[in-house]
Amino acid sequence: MADITMTDGVQIDLVSRERMQSLRSMEKIRLIIDGVRDGNIVILEEGLSPDEESKLIEVTMNEISPDEFTGIEIESYPQQESQPGLFSRLFGRNPPNKLTVIGPANRIETLHKDENLIRALVTQ
Amino acid sequence: MGLIASIKDSISRLFSGGEPRRIGIYGPPNAGKCLRATEEVLLADGTRMPIESVFSTAERRCPDATDVSSASNETWLSCADAGIRVPALTESEQIVPATVSHVFRQSYDGQLFRVETQTGRDVVVSPAHPFIVAGSEGPTQIPARELSVGATVASVSTQPSRLFTDDTRLSTDGGAVAHASRAAPVADYSLTWDTVRAIEPTSYTGYIYDLTVPEHHTFTTGSGLVVHNTTLANRIARDWTGDAVGPESHVPHETRRARRKENVEIKRNGSTVTIDIVDTPGVTTKVDYNEFLEHDMNKEDAVRRSREATEGVAEAMHWLREDVDGVVYVLDSTSDPFTQVNTMLVGIIESRDLPVLIFANKIDLDDASIQRIVNAFPQHEVIPLSALEGENMEEVYDKIAEYFG
C-alpha cells in the first residue's frame, strides 16, 4: 500500500488487490472505516464482494455519531452484466468488483459517474 | 458462513416450503402528495381544522408514535390511536366516517396548484395530489397538474344534514377534533359533484401535509373537495396488510418496532400465498443529523432521529443477509436508477441468490421512464406500477405469487 500525504492536505490510501486478498472480510471493513474516519480517501484496486459491501454499510451505520462521523461516500464502476453461474448461485459469490473509491461523506462528493469514469470532488 | 452451512442454506432456499416466505421491501424513500399547511380538512364531526393542526393534534395525542419515514425532510406518524376521523368517499360513492391512520409532513419548496370550482370551493395542493374526477367509466383519480377546467370533481355537502350523537352539541377538544368514541358526533355528509373553474400554479415554501385514510384512501378539504390520500413507496407493503385497501389481504399480527407484517395472505387464482413482509427504510451510506436541523427540528430530536435512521439501515442490511427469502426492490421510475446504492443493493441481493422483483413505481407521472430501469437492471423482471393510482396492481400480485409463493 502506498500512502500519499501532504501537510494540511488529503491523504489517499491506494490499497492493492494483493493486500485486500490477504485480509478477512471484517479486516477489510475495518481497514476502510478506520482510514475514512481518519479523513482519508481509500481507493481499492479491487473492490469488496457484495456480502462485504452489505457489512460495510451495516458497520458504517453503527459507527455514525453526531459531530464526529457522518458516514461514507462510495463509488465503484458498475458490475459487468452477467448471469451468475451455478457455483456462484450456490455459494453466493459473484465476480469481484472493479476499482472502488471510498471517503468521508462530509469531504467527498461525486460529480460524475459512468461505466468508464468516476469524477469526485474532495474537500479538506 | 461456513461451507457446509452455505450449502445447507442454499439447498433449503431451493426447496423450502411450508413456512411463510419472508419478503423484504427495499428502495429509496419517496415523497407524498400534499396540501398546503393552512388548508382546512373536513372532520367527521362536522368541524374543520387546518391540516397542520391535524398533524400537531396527532403528534400530541400519540407522543410515542412511530415515524415510518426515513427521509430527513419528512415525518410520517402512525396515529390511529389519536381518534381523528374524517369523512371519506367509498367505492360505492358513499361518504362515511373513517379514522386517519397516519399524518404526513414534508418540507417543500416549489410549485403548488390552486384549484377553484364553480361553487366557490378551492384548495391549494401539490402538483401530484389527485382529485376524484367523474369519468365515462366511473370516478377516477387525476393529479392536480393534469386537471382541466370543466372537469367534474367529487365534493361533499359542507353543511352536515344531521348529526348522529347522544348529545346534539358538537363535542370538540380544545377547539380541535373530538376523540372518537360512542358519544362523538358523526356528521351525515352526502356526495355532490362540482365543476373546476380555474387552475393556477403558485409558488410555495414551507411544510405540506397529507393524511392516510385506510381502506377508502380519501379525505375532504374544508371547502368540501374530495382528494386522494398519500401514496409512498412502502404504501405497497401496507396495501397487503389490511392497513389499506384489499379484500385479498389479511394480517393477524403486526410488530411495530420491527415494521414486520407477518402472515400476509394474497389470494391468486384460487390459491393463497402467505408471506411475511419486512418493510425497510431507504438504504444509504451516510446520515448527518444536521440535515434534520434544517427542517425545524431541535438538536436533540435531530440526533435521535438520525440514530433511528442509522439503526434502521443497519437492521435492513442484516435482514438482507440473514433473514429474507425474497426481495421486492421499489424504484421511483422518474429518478435515475444508476446510483451506487441501487447498484450495490441489487448486487447484494443477487449474491444471496434471492428471488427479486423490481417495481418501477410512479408510472402515472409524465417523466416516468420504465425503460431506464429495464436498461439498468436487464437481468431482472421489472414490473411497472402506480401505487398512487393502483395501476397494474393485478400484475404486481400475480408476480408476487409467482416469485414468492
Side-chain angles (χ1 to χ4, degrees):
Chain A
M1 178 175 69
D3 284 354
I4 303 168
T5 5
M6 293 181 294
T7 307
D8 298 326
V10 177
Q11 178 175 317
I12 299 174
D13 296 342
L14 303 168
V15 188
S16 71
R17 177 185 294 112
E18 289 73 19
R19 171 72 187 274
M20 289 299 275
Q21 285 176 345
S22 71
L23 300 175
R24 294 169 183 269
S25 289
M26 285 312 294
E27 290 173 330
K28 294 179 190 175
I29 289 162
R30 274 274 46 107
L31 173 82
I32 294 165
I33 297 270
D34 290 347
V36 171
R37 290 197 68 158
D38 286 342
N40 305 336
I41 306 298
V42 178
I43 300 176
L44 309 177
E45 183 183 13
E46 182 179 281
L48 300 172
S49 71
D51 198 58
E52 290 164 345
E53 287 180 334
S54 164
K55 286 174 183 160
L56 176 64
I57 295 174
E58 185 175 347
V59 173
T60 300
M61 289 296 118
N62 289 333
E63 299 223 354
I64 286 175
S65 61
D67 299 320
E68 193 188 346
F69 180 55
T70 60
I72 63 172
E73 188 72 46
I74 177 168
E75 288 291 358
S76 59
Y77 299 119
Q79 277 186 300
Q80 287 176 333
E81 294 165 9
S82 62
Q83 293 288 352
L86 179 63
F87 187 85
S88 299
R89 291 164 66 88
L90 275 176
F91 296 97
R93 291 176 191 170
N94 268 9
N97 286 345
K98 296 179 179 176
L99 182 140
T100 300
V101 183
I102 308 155
N106 59 350
R107 295 184 64 178
I108 184 168
E109 180 186 358
T110 304
L111 300 177
H112 172 85
K113 177 187 170 185
D114 60 33
E115 58 187 8
N116 298 310
L117 175 69
I118 296 170
R119 179 175 290 142
L121 176 68
V122 179
T123 55
Q124 290 187 24
Chain B
M1 186 183 289
L3 181 63
I4 300 301
S6 177
I7 293 171
K8 283 172 66 180
D9 185 55
S10 301
I11 291 174
S12 71
R13 279 206 193 97
L14 289 171
F15 300 104
S16 66
E19 290 296 310
R21 310 199 80 195
R22 186 162 289 152
I23 309 304
I25 309 283
Y26 284 77
N30 290 340
K33 327 291 185 223
C34 302
L35 275 62
R36 185 177 61 171
T38 54
E39 288 299 329
E40 286 189 326
V41 172
L42 201 56
L43 302 175
D45 66 359
T47 60
R48 298 178 181 81
M49 184 189 287
I51 196 165
E52 60 184 345
S53 301
V54 175
F55 184 92
S56 59
T57 299
E59 214 172 19
R60 193 175 66 249
R61 289 183 182 169
C62 298
D64 299 324
T66 305
D67 182 357
V68 297
S69 172
S70 57
S72 63
N73 65 336
E74 298 174 357
T75 304
W76 198 29
L77 300 177
S78 176
C79 66
D81 295 338
I84 300 172
R85 301 216 298 165
V86 295
L89 176 66
T90 69
E91 284 189 6
S92 57
E93 301 186 18
Q94 302 295 310
I95 304 292
V96 299
T99 299
V100 173
S101 68
H102 296 78
V103 290
F104 178 83
R105 182 178 70 183
Q106 182 191 11
S107 178
Y108 186 81
D109 183 10
Q111 191 181 63
L112 298 181
F113 281 88
R114 175 188 297 280
V115 176
E116 292 180 29
T117 68
Q118 284 184 349
T119 62
R121 294 184 172 98
D122 72 327
V123 65
V124 177
V125 299
S126 60
H129 202 109
F131 288 76
I132 310 299
V133 177
S136 56
E137 297 178 1
T140 184
Q141 301 164 33
I142 294 185
R145 64 164 175 272
E146 293 175 17
L147 265 185
S148 54
V149 171
T152 303
V153 291
S155 58
V156 301
S157 57
T158 54
Q159 294 300 320
S161 55
R162 59 195 167 110
L163 296 170
F164 297 104
T165 176
D166 295 336
D167 181 356
T168 54
R169 185 170 54 85
L170 283 180
S171 161
T172 59
D173 176 18
V177 62
H179 280 284
S181 71
R182 294 180 117 176
V186 177
D188 181 22
Y189 293 102
S190 58
L191 175 66
T192 63
W193 296 91
D194 205 344
T195 305
V196 174
R197 182 179 65 190
I199 305 162
E200 294 173 0
T202 178
S203 59
Y204 179 81
T205 302
Y207 283 124
I208 53 178
Y209 295 82
D210 202 359
L211 312 178
T212 298
V213 182
E215 190 176 354
H216 306 306
H217 301 293
T218 55
F219 62 98
T220 308
T221 69
S223 64
L225 286 167
V226 178
V227 290
H228 203 269
N229 71 185
T230 286
T231 298
L232 301 178
N234 45 11
R235 143 89 185 277
I236 296 166
R238 286 174 173 74
D239 276 350
W240 300 334
T241 65
D243 190 19
V245 69
E248 295 171 339
S249 304
H250 176 63
V251 58
H253 176 66
E254 179 176 345
T255 310
R256 282 177 68 187
R257 170 64 186 88
R259 293 167 61 191
R260 288 182 181 215
K261 316 289 191 298
E262 296 179 343
N263 294 326
V264 178
E265 293 177 358
I266 297 175
K267 292 182 180 144
R268 308 308 291 171
N269 302 323
S271 61
T272 300
V273 175
T274 304
I275 57 174
D276 293 346
I277 292 180
V278 182
D279 190 8
T280 74
V283 174
T284 180
T285 59
K286 56 194 171 188
V287 177
D288 185 352
Y289 80 90
N290 285 297
E291 289 180 27
F292 296 93
L293 288 177
E294 294 168 10
H295 301 285
D296 254 5
M297 206 177 282
N298 63 41
K299 183 174 178 180
E300 188 182 345
D301 285 345
V303 169
R304 176 184 54 78
R305 187 157 167 168
S306 66
R307 186 164 291 127
E308 288 171 357
T310 58
E311 288 170 359
V313 174
E315 210 168 26
M317 284 298 97
H318 187 78
W319 284 334
L320 186 53
R321 286 198 312 275
E322 308 290 343
D323 208 15
V324 295
D325 304 308
V327 173
V328 169
Y329 198 66
V330 185
L331 286 168
D332 181 343
S333 62
T334 68
S335 300
D336 178 12
F338 291 97
T339 66
Q340 182 71 17
V341 164
N342 286 345
T343 306
M344 282 168 56
L345 272 176
V346 171
I348 293 164
I349 293 162
E350 288 173 347
S351 75
R352 306 301 304 173
D353 195 26
L354 296 171
V356 56
L357 276 176
I358 293 182
F359 285 2
N361 194 17
K362 294 192 176 183
I363 58 170
D364 53 301
L365 299 181
D366 289 341
D367 47 353
S369 172
I370 301 161
Q371 194 57 46
R372 194 164 46 186
I373 293 177
V374 171
N375 293 344
F377 305 108
Q379 67 275 41
H380 297 294
E381 183 152 11
V382 175
I383 315 298
L385 76 149
S386 166
L388 171 66
E389 303 279 3
E391 196 173 330
N392 205 34
M393 295 307 287
E394 287 303 307
E395 186 184 0
V396 165
Y397 293 131
D398 284 344
K399 291 296 177 184
I400 288 169
E402 179 186 334
Y403 273 68
F404 307 128

